[in-house]
Amino acid sequence: MLFTTATLAGFAALAPSAFALDNGVGRLPSNCVMIVAWNAFVCNIDDTIILETASLMQSLGLQDAGYTQMNLDDCWGEKNRSADGVLQANAERFPSGFINLTSQLHDMGFKAGIYSDSGWRTCQDYPGSYSNELLDAETFQDWGFDYLKYDNCYIPFDDIIREGTLGRFQRMADAIANLSSTSGQPPLIYSLCEWGWSQVWLWGASMANSWRVDNDIAANWDSIAAIINLASFIPQATNFYGRNDMDILEVGNGDLTYEENKSHFTAWALFKSPLLIGTNLSAVSSEIVDVLSNPEILAINQDPVVGTSISPFRWGLNPDWTSNSSFPAQYWSGPSQNGPCSCWSLNTLSEPADMFFNLTESPWIRAGRSYSVRDLWTHSDNGTAIRNFTAEVVPAHGVVALLLQDAGDEPDGIDPLCAVYCQCGTENGSYVYGGCTTEY
Ligand code: GAL
């Protein structure tokens, strides 16, 4: 890929702000992470399931595709701390302890993640880390974990905490930073789970690598569409080192159709969300493995040059900026290292539809140029787009994901002279096309 000076200047403008937690870990989404415990298994986790899942990650090709981490969720512990106040692995389900488990995962080439809570107890009523932040961060690091998901249950009363949500999550951020400075080890990747209740996208980047933006996902299209709708309003929160976490992937779960699975995965990946597989891999179909391992979609999620999220350039069905949990924005684009533009059209209807956009509706497209079109799901080149693109008969809840690459000047003499012609005019001051209805 050759970058023009203009392209590189554009990317520089997309560098993370000083606000981002540039502490050496978590620059790219923590992909690819396997949550072993929550959506698929809930509390029924043990070391056998985790090691079997790690083997499946390898035999199914998911590790090679880039999923390099295994995460525990809630319910891994004893119900109480030890007599000296330390968290304990559940003796029945993890009889060999976590040092043993993480070293086996490390030997298999995986990193490991663990879960705790910013309150007194976790959401499933195991000990939380409030007032034990440094001790627990040390314990997690000693056990060999590299990543911490931090939840939001059993919050201490106001006269105890005397802090807002931000302060409570900051306590663990400080503990992680202090521990790293004294131990010399990299900080734990820090993943906040406060469900977006305190507009975490406004402050999460100051302390964490990712932050959950919504309540728990469910394995149905209504839930996926609602999260996409929320995401359409907060793409600017995501960049290198810190990003909106759209929640664990439900790809392959519940009653999602094949098209819905593809749309769900495309959305999460192009939002640059962490990709946390939440499927029981011992029962997964090869079709779903192919969705999760789509190399061209994963490459955009893991883009080392562009950290920003895709964002809508037109809502489509609804007027721009409409919040509609059932029918979210349909036309999206973002810059990409191989781009300049990855574009994405989502058919939010429950019936097939044609999807159409003018190229220059996306800010990443240059006027007067033609673009080669790469289809990221059929893995084929789909001709050259000039001025606009139409995807015909996109299935219900289906997606068209494209990589547009500059293919040189458009042919001379195309009429109209400007693709978007409101305010398009001649040097001597007359409008070339007067069809605008808006007064300027
Ligand atoms: C919820 C969280 C879920 C899962 C669960 C475990 O608060 O959103 O992702 O971690 O707790 O109890």
Side-chain angles (χ1 to χ4, degrees):
M1 168 69 194
L2 283 178
F3 293 112
T4 63
T5 316
T7 319
L8 288 171
F11 288 159
L14 296 168
S17 67
F19 185 56
L21 179 71
D22 180 357
N23 65 353
V25 295
R27 180 172 185 271
L28 296 177
S30 264
N31 295 3
C32 295
V33 182
M34 171 72 197
I35 295 274
V36 187
W38 196 247
N39 295 25
F41 299 101
V42 194
C43 278
N44 302 316
I45 45 161
D46 57 30
D47 48 10
T48 309
I49 289 177
I50 287 160
L51 291 169
E52 277 175 8
T53 305
S55 290
L56 284 164
M57 297 287 287
Q58 296 185 321
S59 57
L60 294 170
L62 289 164
Q63 186 181 39
D64 285 347
Y67 294 84
T68 54
Q69 187 161 322
M70 300 284 296
N71 280 14
L72 294 164
D73 208 283
D74 207 344
C75 314
W76 53 260
E78 288 289 335
K79 282 281 180 175
N80 292 300
R81 291 174 180 266
S82 69
D84 49 0
V86 181
L87 292 169
Q88 315 176 82
N90 185 286
E92 207 177 303
R93 290 188 270 121
F94 297 97
S96 331
F98 285 135
I99 294 180
N100 187 289
L101 179 67
T102 59
S103 67
Q104 289 185 72
L105 292 173
H106 291 157
D107 288 348
M108 295 173 79
F110 290 106
K111 294 190 167 202
I114 196 158
Y115 162 101
S116 189
D117 193 285
S118 61
W120 296 122
R121 308 285 292 172
T122 74
C123 299
Q124 302 302 312
D125 194 20
Y126 291 78
S129 291
Y130 181 73
S131 79
N132 282 299
E133 288 85 359
L134 187 56
L135 173 65
D136 290 357
E138 264 166 1
T139 306
F140 300 144
Q141 184 174 281
D142 291 348
W143 283 345
F145 289 104
D146 318 275
Y147 175 110
L148 174 64
K149 172 176 174 177
Y150 209 49
D151 218 334
N152 198 28
C153 284
Y154 294 99
I155 300 164
F157 300 148
D158 291 359
D159 64 344
I160 296 174
I161 196 163
R162 298 187 192 283
E163 287 168 345
T165 306
L166 193 158
R168 187 159 36 84
F169 282 92
Q170 183 72 51
R171 293 169 67 99
M172 182 53 92
D174 292 344
I176 290 171
N178 290 345
L179 176 62
S180 174
S181 67
T182 52
S183 71
Q185 291 193 40
L188 295 167
I189 292 180
Y190 188 32
S191 168
L192 312 183
C193 180
E194 61 75 75
W195 319 303
W197 288 11
S198 71
Q199 293 142 31
V200 63
W201 44 87
L202 297 176
W203 52 269
S206 68
M207 68 173 78
N209 303 104
S210 62
W211 44 88
R212 271 276 298 283
V213 296
D214 208 350
N215 293 325
D216 288 9
I217 190 171
N220 58 62
W221 181 252
D222 286 354
S223 172
I224 309 288
I227 299 175
I228 292 173
N229 177 55
L230 173 61
S232 68
F233 295 96
I234 51 172
Q236 60 277 28
T238 286
N239 211 322
F240 290 130
Y241 294 108
R243 54 196 53 86
N244 294 326
D245 170 359
M246 319 299 295
D247 205 358
I248 299 164
L249 291 163
E250 293 282 14
V251 172
N253 294 344
D255 61 4
L256 293 172
T257 65
Y258 176 58
E259 296 300 332
E260 289 169 345
N261 280 314
K262 285 197 307 180
S263 299
H264 171 23
F265 186 69
T266 306
W268 268 231
L270 272 52
F271 290 142
K272 308 274 170 78
S273 172
L275 297 177
L276 311 158
I277 298 176
T279 314
N280 180 348
L281 293 182
S282 66
V284 74
S285 68
S286 57
E287 191 174 68
I288 291 301
V289 173
D290 286 349
V291 170
L292 292 168
S293 12
N294 182 328
E296 297 189 84
I297 298 283
L298 287 170
I300 296 177
N301 179 265
Q302 292 289 295
D303 190 324
V305 178
V306 178
T308 47
S309 165
I310 202 160
S311 49
F313 58 80
R314 175 156 50 90
W315 264 245
L317 201 62
N318 291 306
D320 287 351
W321 305 106
T322 302
S323 177
N324 186 322
S325 300
S326 306
F327 299 100
Q330 294 186 294
Y331 295 95
W332 303 65
S333 72
S336 128
Q337 71 158 337
N338 298 317
C341 177
S342 54
C343 292
W344 175 58
S345 309
L346 176 70
N347 178 13
T348 53
L349 300 172
S350 352
E351 64 219 36
D354 291 350
M355 313 278 306
F356 169 91
F357 60 93
N358 287 309
L359 300 188
T360 51
E361 287 184 86
S362 163
W364 312 109
I365 291 290
R366 294 164 66 195
R369 306 287 285 178
S370 57
Y371 286 84
S372 66
V373 179
R374 174 80 182 165
D375 186 315
L376 304 179
W377 280 108
T378 61
H379 306 298
S380 58
D381 296 330
N382 194 355
T384 302
I386 297 170
R387 295 287 175 100
N388 54 52
F389 183 83
T390 303
E392 283 167 11
V393 203
V394 181
H397 300 166
V399 71
V400 176
L402 308 169
L403 190 66
L404 300 184
Q405 290 178 302
D406 194 303
D409 284 338
E410 65 178 25
D412 289 339
I414 298 186
D415 190 56
L417 295 172
C418 304
V420 179
Y421 50 84
C422 282
Q423 283 291 4
C424 190
T426 63
E427 204 175 345
N428 66 12
S430 57
Y431 286 121
V432 175
Y433 294 99
C436 293
T437 47
T438 314
E439 293 284 326
Y440 288 96

PDB file of all heavy atoms in Angstrom, residues 38-39 73-75 115 122-124 149 151-153 193 195 212 214-216 247-248, ligand 1:
ATOM      1  N   TRP A  38     -18.830 -16.649  30.286  1.00  0.00           N
ATOM      2  CA  TRP A  38     -20.132 -16.051  30.535  1.00  0.00           C
ATOM      3  C   TRP A  38     -21.222 -16.521  29.591  1.00  0.00           C
ATOM      4  O   TRP A  38     -22.018 -17.383  29.936  1.00  0.00           O
ATOM      5  CB  TRP A  38     -20.046 -14.517  30.663  1.00  0.00           C
ATOM      6  CG  TRP A  38     -21.303 -14.038  31.293  1.00  0.00           C
ATOM      7  CD1 TRP A  38     -22.261 -13.276  30.724  1.00  0.00           C
ATOM      8  CD2 TRP A  38     -21.794 -14.384  32.592  1.00  0.00           C
ATOM      9  NE1 TRP A  38     -23.315 -13.114  31.587  1.00  0.00           N
ATOM     10  CE2 TRP A  38     -23.059 -13.783  32.734  1.00  0.00           C
ATOM     11  CE3 TRP A  38     -21.306 -15.152  33.636  1.00  0.00           C
ATOM     12  CZ2 TRP A  38     -23.840 -13.906  33.872  1.00  0.00           C
ATOM     13  CZ3 TRP A  38     -22.078 -15.281  34.772  1.00  0.00           C
ATOM     14  CH2 TRP A  38     -23.327 -14.658  34.885  1.00  0.00           C
ATOM     15  N   ASN A  39     -21.276 -16.023  28.362  1.00  0.00           N
ATOM     16  CA  ASN A  39     -22.446 -16.315  27.523  1.00  0.00           C
ATOM     17  C   ASN A  39     -22.668 -17.808  27.330  1.00  0.00           C
ATOM     18  O   ASN A  39     -23.796 -18.288  27.366  1.00  0.00           O
ATOM     19  CB  ASN A  39     -22.302 -15.654  26.155  1.00  0.00           C
ATOM     20  CG  ASN A  39     -22.301 -14.162  26.267  1.00  0.00           C
ATOM     21  OD1 ASN A  39     -21.956 -13.636  27.318  1.00  0.00           O
ATOM     22  ND2 ASN A  39     -22.675 -13.477  25.224  1.00  0.00           N
ATOM     23  N   ASP A  73     -14.723 -15.346  33.316  1.00  0.00           N
ATOM     24  CA  ASP A  73     -15.672 -14.315  33.759  1.00  0.00           C
ATOM     25  C   ASP A  73     -15.989 -14.593  35.226  1.00  0.00           C
ATOM     26  O   ASP A  73     -15.134 -15.119  35.971  1.00  0.00           O
ATOM     27  CB  ASP A  73     -16.903 -14.327  32.840  1.00  0.00           C
ATOM     28  CG  ASP A  73     -17.585 -12.967  32.750  1.00  0.00           C
ATOM     29  OD1 ASP A  73     -18.303 -12.611  33.700  1.00  0.00           O
ATOM     30  OD2 ASP A  73     -17.395 -12.249  31.755  1.00  0.00           O
ATOM     31  N   ASP A  74     -17.181 -14.293  35.656  1.00  0.00           N
ATOM     32  CA  ASP A  74     -17.569 -14.420  37.066  1.00  0.00           C
ATOM     33  C   ASP A  74     -17.517 -15.890  37.524  1.00  0.00           C
ATOM     34  O   ASP A  74     -17.442 -16.798  36.697  1.00  0.00           O
ATOM     35  CB  ASP A  74     -19.001 -13.877  37.208  1.00  0.00           C
ATOM     36  CG  ASP A  74     -19.286 -13.340  38.598  1.00  0.00           C
ATOM     37  OD1 ASP A  74     -18.527 -13.654  39.522  1.00  0.00           O
ATOM     38  OD2 ASP A  74     -20.291 -12.611  38.741  1.00  0.00           O
ATOM     39  N   CYS A  75     -17.550 -16.102  38.833  1.00  0.00           N
ATOM     40  CA  CYS A  75     -17.749 -17.438  39.451  1.00  0.00           C
ATOM     41  C   CYS A  75     -16.498 -18.310  39.494  1.00  0.00           C
ATOM     42  O   CYS A  75     -16.612 -19.525  39.667  1.00  0.00           O
ATOM     43  CB  CYS A  75     -18.863 -18.245  38.772  1.00  0.00           C
ATOM     44  SG  CYS A  75     -20.366 -17.348  38.443  1.00  0.00           S
ATOM     45  N   TYR A 115     -11.607 -11.805  36.066  1.00  0.00           N
ATOM     46  CA  TYR A 115     -12.754 -10.924  36.282  1.00  0.00           C
ATOM     47  C   TYR A 115     -12.836 -10.575  37.760  1.00  0.00           C
ATOM     48  O   TYR A 115     -12.595 -11.422  38.627  1.00  0.00           O
ATOM     49  CB  TYR A 115     -14.011 -11.695  35.855  1.00  0.00           C
ATOM     50  CG  TYR A 115     -15.337 -11.166  36.359  1.00  0.00           C
ATOM     51  CD1 TYR A 115     -16.166 -10.412  35.541  1.00  0.00           C
ATOM     52  CD2 TYR A 115     -15.769 -11.437  37.658  1.00  0.00           C
ATOM     53  CE1 TYR A 115     -17.399  -9.949  36.000  1.00  0.00           C
ATOM     54  CE2 TYR A 115     -16.992 -10.972  38.118  1.00  0.00           C
ATOM     55  CZ  TYR A 115     -17.799 -10.227  37.287  1.00  0.00           C
ATOM     56  OH  TYR A 115     -19.001  -9.765  37.735  1.00  0.00           O
ATOM     57  N   THR A 122     -19.083  -9.602  43.515  1.00  0.00           N
ATOM     58  CA  THR A 122     -19.309  -9.665  42.069  1.00  0.00           C
ATOM     59  C   THR A 122     -20.809  -9.819  41.810  1.00  0.00           C
ATOM     60  O   THR A 122     -21.579 -10.060  42.738  1.00  0.00           O
ATOM     61  CB  THR A 122     -18.578 -10.862  41.421  1.00  0.00           C
ATOM     62  OG1 THR A 122     -19.283 -12.061  41.769  1.00  0.00           O
ATOM     63  CG2 THR A 122     -17.133 -10.953  41.871  1.00  0.00           C
ATOM     64  N   CYS A 123     -21.191  -9.738  40.556  1.00  0.00           N
ATOM     65  CA  CYS A 123     -22.619  -9.795  40.243  1.00  0.00           C
ATOM     66  C   CYS A 123     -23.217 -11.154  40.578  1.00  0.00           C
ATOM     67  O   CYS A 123     -24.420 -11.259  40.774  1.00  0.00           O
ATOM     68  CB  CYS A 123     -22.852  -9.417  38.786  1.00  0.00           C
ATOM     69  SG  CYS A 123     -22.291  -7.733  38.444  1.00  0.00           S
ATOM     70  N   GLN A 124     -22.405 -12.202  40.652  1.00  0.00           N
ATOM     71  CA  GLN A 124     -22.903 -13.523  41.077  1.00  0.00           C
ATOM     72  C   GLN A 124     -22.552 -13.788  42.541  1.00  0.00           C
ATOM     73  O   GLN A 124     -22.464 -14.939  42.977  1.00  0.00           O
ATOM     74  CB  GLN A 124     -22.343 -14.623  40.175  1.00  0.00           C
ATOM     75  CG  GLN A 124     -22.672 -14.430  38.703  1.00  0.00           C
ATOM     76  CD  GLN A 124     -24.157 -14.345  38.437  1.00  0.00           C
ATOM     77  OE1 GLN A 124     -24.926 -15.164  38.930  1.00  0.00           O
ATOM     78  NE2 GLN A 124     -24.561 -13.333  37.672  1.00  0.00           N
ATOM     79  N   LYS A 149     -11.261  -7.871  33.626  1.00  0.00           N
ATOM     80  CA  LYS A 149     -12.608  -7.297  33.409  1.00  0.00           C
ATOM     81  C   LYS A 149     -13.143  -6.912  34.774  1.00  0.00           C
ATOM     82  O   LYS A 149     -13.103  -7.718  35.711  1.00  0.00           O
ATOM     83  CB  LYS A 149     -13.521  -8.327  32.749  1.00  0.00           C
ATOM     84  CG  LYS A 149     -14.983  -7.900  32.663  1.00  0.00           C
ATOM     85  CD  LYS A 149     -15.811  -8.928  31.895  1.00  0.00           C
ATOM     86  CE  LYS A 149     -17.306  -8.602  31.931  1.00  0.00           C
ATOM     87  NZ  LYS A 149     -18.089  -9.559  31.135  1.00  0.00           N
ATOM     88  N   ASP A 151     -16.263  -5.321  37.060  1.00  0.00           N
ATOM     89  CA  ASP A 151     -17.725  -5.177  37.000  1.00  0.00           C
ATOM     90  C   ASP A 151     -18.235  -4.139  38.015  1.00  0.00           C
ATOM     91  O   ASP A 151     -17.454  -3.459  38.703  1.00  0.00           O
ATOM     92  CB  ASP A 151     -18.357  -6.560  37.204  1.00  0.00           C
ATOM     93  CG  ASP A 151     -19.596  -6.775  36.339  1.00  0.00           C
ATOM     94  OD1 ASP A 151     -20.247  -5.789  35.969  1.00  0.00           O
ATOM     95  OD2 ASP A 151     -19.924  -7.939  36.071  1.00  0.00           O
ATOM     96  N   ASN A 152     -19.544  -4.067  38.173  1.00  0.00           N
ATOM     97  CA  ASN A 152     -20.175  -2.881  38.777  1.00  0.00           C
ATOM     98  C   ASN A 152     -21.258  -3.226  39.798  1.00  0.00           C
ATOM     99  O   ASN A 152     -22.195  -2.460  39.963  1.00  0.00           O
ATOM    100  CB  ASN A 152     -20.781  -2.060  37.615  1.00  0.00           C
ATOM    101  CG  ASN A 152     -21.075  -0.639  37.981  1.00  0.00           C
ATOM    102  OD1 ASN A 152     -20.426  -0.068  38.854  1.00  0.00           O
ATOM    103  ND2 ASN A 152     -22.063  -0.068  37.319  1.00  0.00           N
ATOM    104  N   CYS A 153     -21.163  -4.380  40.477  1.00  0.00           N
ATOM    105  CA  CYS A 153     -22.232  -4.788  41.401  1.00  0.00           C
ATOM    106  C   CYS A 153     -21.869  -4.503  42.866  1.00  0.00           C
ATOM    107  O   CYS A 153     -20.709  -4.271  43.187  1.00  0.00           O
ATOM    108  CB  CYS A 153     -22.534  -6.272  41.215  1.00  0.00           C
ATOM    109  SG  CYS A 153     -23.489  -6.590  39.713  1.00  0.00           S
ATOM    110  N   CYS A 193     -16.562  -2.634  33.119  1.00  0.00           N
ATOM    111  CA  CYS A 193     -17.892  -3.178  32.817  1.00  0.00           C
ATOM    112  C   CYS A 193     -18.899  -2.469  33.709  1.00  0.00           C
ATOM    113  O   CYS A 193     -19.329  -3.013  34.717  1.00  0.00           O
ATOM    114  CB  CYS A 193     -17.885  -4.688  33.045  1.00  0.00           C
ATOM    115  SG  CYS A 193     -19.448  -5.476  32.701  1.00  0.00           S
ATOM    116  N   TRP A 195     -21.541  -0.866  32.152  1.00  0.00           N
ATOM    117  CA  TRP A 195     -22.757  -0.917  31.315  1.00  0.00           C
ATOM    118  C   TRP A 195     -23.176   0.433  30.726  1.00  0.00           C
ATOM    119  O   TRP A 195     -24.327   0.598  30.327  1.00  0.00           O
ATOM    120  CB  TRP A 195     -23.935  -1.503  32.115  1.00  0.00           C
ATOM    121  CG  TRP A 195     -23.589  -2.668  32.978  1.00  0.00           C
ATOM    122  CD1 TRP A 195     -23.012  -3.828  32.560  1.00  0.00           C
ATOM    123  CD2 TRP A 195     -23.790  -2.803  34.393  1.00  0.00           C
ATOM    124  NE1 TRP A 195     -22.839  -4.673  33.631  1.00  0.00           N
ATOM    125  CE2 TRP A 195     -23.325  -4.076  34.760  1.00  0.00           C
ATOM    126  CE3 TRP A 195     -24.327  -1.970  35.366  1.00  0.00           C
ATOM    127  CZ2 TRP A 195     -23.356  -4.540  36.076  1.00  0.00           C
ATOM    128  CZ3 TRP A 195     -24.380  -2.428  36.674  1.00  0.00           C
ATOM    129  CH2 TRP A 195     -23.902  -3.696  37.020  1.00  0.00           C
ATOM    130  N   ARG A 212     -17.409  -1.258  28.610  1.00  0.00           N
ATOM    131  CA  ARG A 212     -18.703  -1.724  28.129  1.00  0.00           C
ATOM    132  C   ARG A 212     -19.649  -0.551  27.975  1.00  0.00           C
ATOM    133  O   ARG A 212     -19.738   0.299  28.866  1.00  0.00           O
ATOM    134  CB  ARG A 212     -19.280  -2.727  29.131  1.00  0.00           C
ATOM    135  CG  ARG A 212     -18.867  -4.167  28.887  1.00  0.00           C
ATOM    136  CD  ARG A 212     -19.750  -4.837  27.865  1.00  0.00           C
ATOM    137  NE  ARG A 212     -21.103  -4.879  28.354  1.00  0.00           N
ATOM    138  CZ  ARG A 212     -21.529  -5.756  29.276  1.00  0.00           C
ATOM    139  NH1 ARG A 212     -20.727  -6.680  29.745  1.00  0.00           N
ATOM    140  NH2 ARG A 212     -22.778  -5.731  29.674  1.00  0.00           N
ATOM    141  N   ASP A 214     -23.066  -0.855  27.228  1.00  0.00           N
ATOM    142  CA  ASP A 214     -24.497  -1.122  27.380  1.00  0.00           C
ATOM    143  C   ASP A 214     -24.709  -2.278  28.358  1.00  0.00           C
ATOM    144  O   ASP A 214     -23.759  -2.938  28.777  1.00  0.00           O
ATOM    145  CB  ASP A 214     -25.094  -1.484  26.009  1.00  0.00           C
ATOM    146  CG  ASP A 214     -26.576  -1.110  25.900  1.00  0.00           C
ATOM    147  OD1 ASP A 214     -27.181  -0.759  26.926  1.00  0.00           O
ATOM    148  OD2 ASP A 214     -27.117  -1.187  24.783  1.00  0.00           O
ATOM    149  N   ASN A 215     -25.969  -2.502  28.675  1.00  0.00           N
ATOM    150  CA  ASN A 215     -26.321  -3.668  29.493  1.00  0.00           C
ATOM    151  C   ASN A 215     -25.972  -4.953  28.744  1.00  0.00           C
ATOM    152  O   ASN A 215     -25.563  -4.920  27.593  1.00  0.00           O
ATOM    153  CB  ASN A 215     -27.815  -3.635  29.816  1.00  0.00           C
ATOM    154  CG  ASN A 215     -28.156  -2.471  30.712  1.00  0.00           C
ATOM    155  OD1 ASN A 215     -27.371  -2.099  31.582  1.00  0.00           O
ATOM    156  ND2 ASN A 215     -29.314  -1.871  30.486  1.00  0.00           N
ATOM    157  N   ASP A 216     -26.214  -6.084  29.382  1.00  0.00           N
ATOM    158  CA  ASP A 216     -25.779  -7.351  28.788  1.00  0.00           C
ATOM    159  C   ASP A 216     -26.456  -7.631  27.444  1.00  0.00           C
ATOM    160  O   ASP A 216     -27.670  -7.481  27.293  1.00  0.00           O
ATOM    161  CB  ASP A 216     -26.082  -8.504  29.739  1.00  0.00           C
ATOM    162  CG  ASP A 216     -25.154  -8.497  30.939  1.00  0.00           C
ATOM    163  OD1 ASP A 216     -24.401  -7.515  31.112  1.00  0.00           O
ATOM    164  OD2 ASP A 216     -25.183  -9.470  31.700  1.00  0.00           O
ATOM    165  N   ASP A 247     -19.618  -5.610  24.072  1.00  0.00           N
ATOM    166  CA  ASP A 247     -19.967  -6.813  24.847  1.00  0.00           C
ATOM    167  C   ASP A 247     -19.586  -8.082  24.087  1.00  0.00           C
ATOM    168  O   ASP A 247     -19.232  -8.068  22.911  1.00  0.00           O
ATOM    169  CB  ASP A 247     -21.456  -6.828  25.253  1.00  0.00           C
ATOM    170  CG  ASP A 247     -21.696  -7.692  26.514  1.00  0.00           C
ATOM    171  OD1 ASP A 247     -20.720  -8.293  27.022  1.00  0.00           O
ATOM    172  OD2 ASP A 247     -22.840  -7.755  26.971  1.00  0.00           O
ATOM    173  N   ILE A 248     -19.684  -9.173  24.817  1.00  0.00           N
ATOM    174  CA  ILE A 248     -19.280 -10.484  24.304  1.00  0.00           C
ATOM    175  C   ILE A 248     -20.069 -10.816  23.038  1.00  0.00           C
ATOM    176  O   ILE A 248     -21.266 -10.543  22.955  1.00  0.00           O
ATOM    177  CB  ILE A 248     -19.549 -11.541  25.399  1.00  0.00           C
ATOM    178  CG1 ILE A 248     -18.734 -11.225  26.645  1.00  0.00           C
ATOM    179  CG2 ILE A 248     -19.251 -12.939  24.884  1.00  0.00           C
ATOM    180  CD1 ILE A 248     -19.200 -11.961  27.891  1.00  0.00           C
TER     181      ILE A 248
HETATM  182  C1  GAL B   1     -22.556  -8.638  34.358  1.00  0.00           C
HETATM  183  C2  GAL B   1     -21.732  -8.396  33.121  1.00  0.00           C
HETATM  184  C3  GAL B   1     -21.654  -9.691  32.316  1.00  0.00           C
HETATM  185  C4  GAL B   1     -21.067 -10.778  33.179  1.00  0.00           C
HETATM  186  C5  GAL B   1     -21.863 -10.906  34.481  1.00  0.00           C
HETATM  187  C6  GAL B   1     -21.212 -11.873  35.443  1.00  0.00           C
HETATM  188  O1  GAL B   1     -22.585  -7.477  35.132  1.00  0.00           O
HETATM  189  O2  GAL B   1     -22.300  -7.365  32.372  1.00  0.00           O
HETATM  190  O3  GAL B   1     -20.883  -9.487  31.158  1.00  0.00           O
HETATM  191  O4  GAL B   1     -19.733 -10.464  33.456  1.00  0.00           O
HETATM  192  O5  GAL B   1     -21.992  -9.663  35.135  1.00  0.00           O
HETATM  193  O6  GAL B   1     -21.870 -11.915  36.665  1.00  0.00           O
END
